[in-house]
Every structure is written in C-alpha cells, then in structure tokens.
Amino acid sequence: ILITGKNAMNNSKALIKIYDPSDNLITDFSEQITEVGKFSSQWILPKGIPSGDYTIKVTSGKYNAETKITLK
C-alpha cells in the first residue's frame, strides 16, 4: 500500500501508525519529508493479515491526518 502526503512540515519526519480493525497498533514507522513538504512510503501487507477496516494515521509536528482502508 502506497502512503503519500503533501503540505507537511518541510525537512522533518512523518510518523505513520497503522491500526487494525480492533484499533490495536500493528506497526509504526517514519519517513523523511522533502523540502517541499511531501513524503511517500510503502507498507507491505503482512502475510495472513485479517480482512477489515484499518486506520492509517500520520503526524508531522502540529499536522495530523487519518484515513481508513478496507482489506477484503
């Protein structure tokens, strides 16, 4: 799954957290943000991951974003 963002704090890090359908944190990692406020990261689904609605949360300084994805 490709995770991208823009308009983040330039030259900082984006903290990415992924939660399972029960709202348990399953992974977190960071990505460098470019000087124009963009970042991109790939999350490879673990083998045997259960279906359901997953939440991806990204934080960069005072900025926050969240989205849900459904795995079938």
Side-chain angles (χ1 to χ4, degrees):
I1 294 176
L2 184 61
I3 302 168
T4 63
K6 61 183 180 178
N7 301 324
M9 292 184 64
N10 301 355
N11 294 317
S12 63
K13 294 228 179 220
L15 177 59
I16 302 163
K17 295 182 178 184
I18 302 176
Y19 296 84
D20 68 12
S22 298
D23 206 31
N24 297 307
L25 178 66
I26 56 172
T27 190
D28 65 334
F29 49 95
S30 63
E31 282 297 328
Q32 184 66 40
I33 298 170
T34 68
E35 66 271 356
V36 294
K38 295 182 179 183
F39 69 90
S40 179
S41 184
Q42 189 173 27
W43 177 49
I44 298 177
L45 297 174
K47 194 172 195 165
I49 193 168
S51 60
D53 294 327
Y54 287 74
T55 304
I56 300 171
K57 296 181 180 181
V58 179
T59 303
S60 172
K62 64 181 181 178
Y63 300 105
N64 299 298
E66 180 177 314
T67 191
K68 289 196 180 284
I69 60 171
T70 301
L71 301 179
K72 295 183 179 187

